[in-house]
Amino acid sequence: MKYDYLLVGAGLFSATLAVLAREAGKRCLVVEKRGHIAGNIYTEEVEGIRIHKYGAHIFHTDSKDCWDFVNRFAEFNRYTNSPVAYIDGKLYNLPFNMNTFHQIWEDVLTPEQAQKRIAEQAAEMAGKTPANLEEQAISLVGRDIYELLIKGYTEKQWGRSCTELSADIIKRLPLRFIYDNNYFNDRYQGIPLGGYTKLVERMLAGTEVRLNCDYLQNRAELDALADKVIYTGTIDSFYDYCYGELEYRSLRFETERLPLQNAQGVAVINYTAADVPYTRSIEHKLFEPEDKEAFESACTYITKEYPADWKRGDEPYYPVNNFSNISLYNKYKELAKQEKRVIFGGRLGMYRYFDMDDTILAAMELFQEIIT
Ligand code: FAD
Ligand code: UDP
């Protein structure tokens, strides 16, 4: 065989494997159906500004191994994600912290007062184990915050009622009783200087990549080239949806150029009202404010993110982790276990809500398994 591994997809999972395989003296071929590398972390430079084409990406991790790994391929800035939420003409700090509590309840100034107010509001859940996202949110932050900052956003994002969603989704968000607007709790955070495409380009340097090449349409020919296939596309598509479709959530992005130096004053605004059709609006240049030329230029790019139902042919951005999808995924996983040459990886192949660091760590773990 010409290659040890055929890596399907040129996203972060494949790029991590390509690095590890290359360093272990293995030969890889990467095939990507899109016309560019980097998967969903792709950034495109327009007028000196890196546009996050598939939504805002902020790198954050608690793993030193992962942080050291990415720093081999890029220098990171000190961007700290501190989005604000907009509703009914007012702005609130996120994640839920003392600033938010004081903005919502003016008389709340201290952590003790905030804890007391939340406990009073969460009392309606006393004695109950939260069975869905609504109940989980009310027990964590009380009804006022749930109705102002969670309900509308979440129902738009996921296209269903908070009472039908898993409590786990909301556990991603930090809740703190200090005045601190950092959206993440991780030790390391930042944006790679010059954008994510450059980072992935460096990871793939020395590995052959074929763009505009859909594995599923060239399967026999590509299979013949490598000993093993690592597939990072959707697992249900690999099996031609033989058990039916897994559900995904899709997104539509609308980008506009504004003749302003600085339009939002913050990189990310969340729109939490149910009657605003988009969830987020991002101002790309503000992810890299240290790039003086881009930052000071007289134009800026803003992208609004509209959640959308997914149907075949659309981009599958988020797996929908509810009971029926997980049991369907488990059926595909049983098929996958019988494969001798194919391994499924990444957010789509493993049907998991992976952040970038989870993706890298999962690829590292897989490589340890296959190399030994
Ligand atoms: P992908 O990036 O999806 O790569 C898979 C690649 O495979 C794609 O390029 C696809 O075109 C290709 N492919 C699929 N099928 C085939 C086929 N049949 N033949 C050839 N190629 C194929 N993570 C964070 O840590 N911080 C964030 O702020 C953050 N924000 C996010 C915002 C949004 C809107 C989304 C959707 C995700 C976000 N993430 C974030 C998660 C992050 O995008 C993922 O962790 C990461 O991109 C997963 O990499 P991957 O290689 O598994 O998948
Ligand atoms: N969320 C919310 N209001 C917000 C931001 C987030 O209710 O202003 C909820 C929403 O349910 C979302 C979840 O918290 O799906 C996780 O948010 P995160 O920002 O991690 O979303 P992602 O980065 O996955 O889009």
Side-chain angles (χ1 to χ4, degrees), residues 94 149-150 153-154 158 169 172-173 183 270 280 318 353:
L94 292 171
L149 302 181
I150 298 176
Y153 185 97
T154 300
W158 295 101
I169 293 176
R172 281 171 63 88
L173 291 188
Y183 201 64
N270 287 5
R280 286 194 276 222
Y318 294 100
Y353 198 133

Side-chain angles (χ1 to χ4, degrees), residues 51 103 228 267 321 325 360:
I51 308 284
Q103 286 153 351
K228 282 213 156 61
N321 283 320
N325 285 309
I360 291 172

Side-chain angles (χ1 to χ4, degrees), residues 56 60 81 83-86 94 96 133 137 145-146 148-155 157-158 162 165 168-174 183-184 251 269-272 279-280 305 318 353 355:
H60 57 98
N81 200 31
V84 294
Y86 173 91
L94 292 171
F96 310 128
L133 195 148
I145 294 184
Y146 169 65
L148 207 55
L149 302 181
I150 298 176
K151 188 176 188 311
Y153 185 97
T154 300
E155 294 187 345
Q157 168 83 347
W158 295 101
C162 284
L165 285 165
D168 286 348
I169 293 176
I170 201 75
K171 289 186 192 152
R172 281 171 63 88
L173 291 188
Y183 201 64
F184 303 114
L251 296 170
I269 302 180
N270 287 5
Y271 290 83
T272 60
T279 46
R280 286 194 276 222
E305 193 175 307
Y318 294 100
Y353 198 133
D355 277 330

